[in-house]
Amino acid sequence: TEISNLKPETSRLQLLSERLLSLMLTTQEVVPQIVNTVLPEMLSPLPLQELYTSAVACYTAYNSHSPAPSGTNFRQFWRNWAGKEAPEKVSTADILELYGDKEFEGWDAAKCGQETQFLLSELRREYIKRHRRERASEMKKAEQEGDQARVQELAREFEVLGG
């Protein structure tokens, strides 16, 4: 992607996070599924987690109006809301929206839905891998300290993450 070409050190997780947020900010139909599935900590880096948290707060505010304010779609509502409630997020969101406009131009709802499913699946996989690595590291430390109760607790968590 063009965003990644600017920063060769960009991680796979960040690329997935950027793409999902781009899709979320440009394709209203996928927003409910993303909001109902993604935890902020599944995204990386922290500024994208914060942007996502703001977008979820905006989506909640958007849905609390019925009907939507003067026929406004979520994207328009986001622009107005973010300008007042999260102005520090606007520039990052603008870049992701521009990327999304270009990347997803001409996509129908089915293709956007498939892409959303793929991104959610890959983000979940990355999230689980990261947590398994953390648990393995914690288990090793607990073993070195001779804390068998902690080792067993972490082993159970490790197993749950594997399944």
Coordinates of all heavy atoms in Angstrom, one line a residue, residues 17 48-49 94 96 100 154:
S17 N -4.2 -2.5 10.7 CA -4.9 -1.5 11.5 C -5.3 -0.3 10.6 O -6.4 0.1 10.7 CB -4.1 -1.1 12.7 OG -3.8 -2.1 13.6
L48 N -3.4 4.8 16.5 CA -4.5 4.2 15.8 C -5.5 3.6 16.8 O -6.7 3.7 16.5 CB -4.0 3.1 14.9 CG -3.1 3.6 13.7 CD1 -2.7 2.4 12.8 CD2 -3.9 4.7 12.9
Q49 N -5.0 3.1 17.9 CA -6.0 2.7 19.0 C -6.8 3.9 19.5 O -8.0 3.7 19.6 CB -5.2 2.1 20.2 CG -4.5 0.8 19.9 CD -3.7 0.3 21.2 OE1 -3.8 0.9 22.2 NE2 -2.9 -0.7 21.0
D94 N -8.0 12.0 8.3 CA -8.1 12.5 6.9 C -7.2 11.7 6.0 O -7.6 11.3 4.9 CB -7.7 13.9 6.8 CG -8.8 14.9 7.4 OD1 -9.9 14.4 7.6 OD2 -8.5 16.1 7.6
L96 N -6.2 8.6 6.4 CA -6.8 7.2 6.3 C -8.0 7.3 5.3 O -8.2 6.3 4.6 CB -7.1 6.6 7.6 CG -5.9 6.3 8.5 CD1 -6.3 5.8 9.9 CD2 -5.1 5.2 7.8
G100 N -8.5 5.3 2.0 CA -9.7 4.5 1.8 C -10.4 4.8 0.5 O -10.9 4.0 -0.2
L154 N -0.6 -19.4 33.9 CA -0.2 -18.9 32.6 C -0.3 -20.0 31.5 O -0.7 -19.7 30.4 CB 1.2 -18.3 32.6 CG 1.4 -17.0 33.4 CD1 2.9 -16.8 33.7 CD2 0.8 -15.9 32.7

